Amino acid sequence: MTAWILRRALQAVFVVWLMTLIVFVGLHAIGNPVDILIGQDVDQIDRARIIAQLGLDQPLWRQYLAFLNGALHGNLGNSYVYNVPAIQLILQRLPATLELAFAALIIAVVVGIPLGLFAGLYPRNPISKLLMTGSIVGFSLPTFWVGLILIMVFSVHFGVLPASGRGETASLFGVQWSFLTADGLRHLILPAINLAMFKTSLVLRLTRAGVTEVLPQDFVKFARAKGLSPLRVVLVHVLRNTLIPLVTVLGLEFGSTIAFAVVTETVFAWPGAGKLILDSINSIDRPVIVAYLIVVVCLFVSLNLIVDVLYKWLDPRVRVEAAA
């Protein structure tokens, strides 16, 4: 296990390094932040001084080596726009995004797994067919449009839920969270539902497919022949084996939810890292963009590691192969 974790750590370091290299080259190709940060009325002397202060007068390879040297010491550079450490900006906004992603994932699991289980156990039931049709709709509808409809219905028409912002927050472990207050929960409901729609449809269909595949297996028939109750057969034998591929997908989907929550955060004015990265891309704020991508890649790698560990726990065959 230790050797396996060390190999994964080395792979993670290589992935992060390769990502920073690609991003540096790509950002250099798409534009110069000086053209956005410095107005046209600034004379050439001040312009050259500001470029030198930002280190943009150096060749790209020197800028990249300077970044790597700072990253090894925990410094990912200062934001061109806010003039504060880029990692500080990301860590200030990341809790809001994590809270939104967790809420969306909880909704997807709590709603999607039971509905998918029902659809798999009773495939000919009219409700099951209606659920599968609804899942296709959940896949098809664009996130920004669903968000606007939710705001129009629940905020404008009925006036029961707020349309934007994070609401009142409370501190836990030195971090501000919305779910700890009633007002924060009210602000969290609509963006979480909007972000969870696609995930719920995905979980529903994966669970249904897994149940359909597991039910005809011999070990399920044997469990029924032993006289086990239907509930125990479903929960212990069917659902557990259905969760094996679902865990992998949920782990990757949680990472993508964090990385691509920008649309929901923009529609609902949710002050998360997604909105920050969108503003940084518009202003070509290189340090913030690179710091955000490093954090996201580290999250993806960590989630993949957790998923692999859960896989070994859920599927004995993986443990046997690893031991061999």
Side-chain angles (χ1 to χ4, degrees):
M1 178 67 76
T2 303
W4 174 73
I5 292 177
L6 288 176
R7 286 198 303 270
R8 293 298 300 271
L10 290 175
Q11 292 173 3
V13 171
F14 176 75
V15 169
V16 173
W17 169 77
L18 187 62
M19 181 275 301
T20 59
L21 180 62
I22 294 173
V23 170
F24 250 82
V25 174
L27 289 176
H28 181 75
I30 64 174
N32 188 353
V34 175
D35 299 333
I36 298 176
L37 298 174
I38 302 177
Q40 298 295 327
D41 55 343
V42 177
D43 58 41
Q44 293 298 320
I45 296 178
D46 290 336
R47 182 184 177 90
R49 178 178 55 81
I50 295 173
I51 291 175
Q53 286 179 350
L54 296 176
L56 299 176
D57 58 333
Q58 300 293 324
L60 182 62
W61 65 271
R62 284 187 178 275
Q63 296 181 38
Y64 181 66
L65 290 179
F67 164 77
L68 286 182
N69 182 58
L72 292 175
H73 295 85
N75 179 19
L76 299 179
N78 288 345
S79 167
Y80 297 157
V81 177
Y82 301 98
N83 196 29
V84 296
I87 191 64
Q88 177 182 327
L89 274 176
I90 300 299
L91 295 180
Q92 285 176 351
R93 299 287 192 95
L94 192 60
T97 300
L98 288 175
E99 183 177 40
L100 182 59
F102 267 115
L105 188 66
I106 290 172
I107 293 174
V109 170
V110 170
V111 176
I113 291 181
L115 294 182
L117 195 61
F118 178 85
L121 292 173
Y122 309 102
R124 299 184 182 278
N125 192 296
I127 298 178
S128 300
K129 296 179 181 179
L130 183 63
L131 288 174
M132 299 308 295
T133 303
S135 67
I136 297 175
V137 175
F139 277 125
S140 305
L141 294 178
T143 303
F144 73 91
W145 183 83
V146 174
L148 294 176
I149 294 299
L150 290 175
I151 291 174
M152 185 181 300
V153 173
F154 293 100
S155 300
V156 178
H157 185 69
F158 292 108
V160 294
L161 292 172
S164 62
R166 199 178 176 194
E168 184 182 353
T169 60
S171 178
L172 179 65
F173 304 118
V175 180
Q176 296 296 320
W177 303 99
S178 297
F179 72 92
L180 296 176
T181 66
D183 182 63
L185 275 175
R186 292 178 66 248
H187 282 78
L188 181 62
I189 291 174
L190 286 185
I193 292 175
N194 183 47
L195 194 59
M197 283 197 64
F198 178 86
K199 313 299 179 188
T200 304
S201 300
L202 180 63
V203 171
L204 191 156
R205 296 187 72 88
L206 285 175
T207 305
R208 192 254 185 191
V211 171
T212 304
E213 182 180 352
V214 170
L215 275 178
Q217 299 293 326
D218 291 336
F219 63 87
V220 176
K221 297 177 181 178
F222 182 70
R224 286 173 173 167
K226 287 197 304 181
L228 297 179
S229 65
L231 182 61
R232 181 174 176 82
V233 171
V234 170
L235 294 181
V236 176
H237 297 278
V238 176
L239 183 58
R240 179 168 180 174
N241 286 276
T242 301
L243 289 177
I244 293 174
L246 193 60
V247 165
T248 303
V249 175
L250 284 178
L252 297 176
E253 284 297 319
F254 179 68
S256 66
T257 302
I258 296 173
F260 305 115
V262 58
V263 175
T264 297
E265 291 183 359
T266 302
V267 171
F268 292 91
W270 188 264
K275 192 173 185 303
L276 173 66
I277 193 62
L278 184 63
D279 296 337
S280 300
I281 290 173
N282 290 332
S283 59
I284 318 181
D285 196 347
R286 291 179 183 172
V288 176
I289 297 173
V290 176
Y292 174 79
L293 292 176
I294 287 177
V295 170
V296 169
V297 169
C298 290
L299 282 173
F300 265 101
V301 171
S302 301
L303 287 171
N304 283 335
L305 180 60
I306 294 172
V307 165
D308 288 342
V309 172
L310 288 175
Y311 223 91
K312 291 184 177 182
W313 175 70
L314 288 170
D315 193 348
R317 293 170 297 181
V318 178
R319 295 197 295 269
V320 171
E321 291 175 3

